[in-house]
Amino acid sequence: MTDREFRLAYVPGVTPAKWVNVWAERVPDVPLGLVSVAAADVVQLLHEGGADAGFVRLPVDRAGLSVIPLYAETTVVVVPKDHAVAATDEVTVADLADDEVFHPMDDTLEWAALPGRPAFTRPETTAEAIQLVAAGAGLLLVPQSLARLHHRKDLTYRPVVETPQSQIALAWPEKATTELVEDFIGIVRGRTANSSRGRTPAPAQEPAPAQEKARKQPRSPAPGGSGRRGTQTGRGRKGRRPR
């Protein structure tokens, strides 16, 4: 057992459990420590050595980082359950033109133009914005994982088409691409345990001692004969013709 720990940061909405479980199976001698961090702080944490790698929400400042985009999330609108949007399967930004929409300070969606009408305040966090939506003060557009994270019984959400999407990526300091980081990259990308880009593949199984000994033994001659070609018998045998 080693005292080294692989530290993995993750932003709200990301659920790293499936990758953590694979890590525990493949790298059992190195514990994995999880570091929950706000989306706005994850890059600084990586640069300061607070984590070996981290799941981030793009866009981020990539200077000094290696970044692998992984997947994009559906953008949804969070509304009270009695709002008209709750009766639809999906909406467009134009459908929200007359609604007040909160734009929290920690929003990671890149808007060319903010949807709806500006709400009376800009909440510091998404969690605060959710509270205001529950109070009936406006609506909120967020990545679907954040809507699930802040789920309330009095709220629901619906997909919004033709909107920016939040993309999740794996990032780490480019000067600290260690063997453990390579191991985790392989896990996230779905490589097998014996991938050439992961840890050293397991050596091929050596033949069992009994099998190896049998393989090296000379083949026994056929019964009744020597190691040479057997003596011909019967009609095929040549002999002297009687005089």
Side-chain angles (χ1 to χ4, degrees), residues 63-84:
L65 293 179
S66 295
V67 178
I68 300 176
L70 298 176
Y71 60 91
E73 291 192 68
T74 300
T75 299
V76 301
V77 59
V78 181
V79 301
K81 282 192 172 181
D82 58 357
H83 193 279

Side-chain angles (χ1 to χ4, degrees), residues 140-205:
L140 175 66
L141 279 79
V142 292
Q144 183 168 303
S145 67
L146 291 182
R148 290 173 175 169
L149 178 66
H150 298 289
H151 172 71
R152 291 175 51 116
K153 292 183 179 180
D154 53 349
L155 299 179
T156 188
Y157 59 85
R158 293 292 183 269
V160 184
V161 298
E162 300 176 355
T163 57
Q165 292 182 317
S166 176
Q167 190 168 29
I168 301 299
L170 179 67
W172 67 95
E174 61 185 13
K175 294 183 178 180
T177 307
T178 64
E179 180 180 300
L180 293 177
V181 170
E182 287 285 5
D183 283 337
F184 194 75
I185 293 170
I187 289 171
V188 169
R189 284 186 159 176
R191 297 187 190 126
T192 62
N194 287 336
S195 168
S196 60
R197 290 287 300 277
R199 284 185 172 247
T200 304
Q205 186 176 1

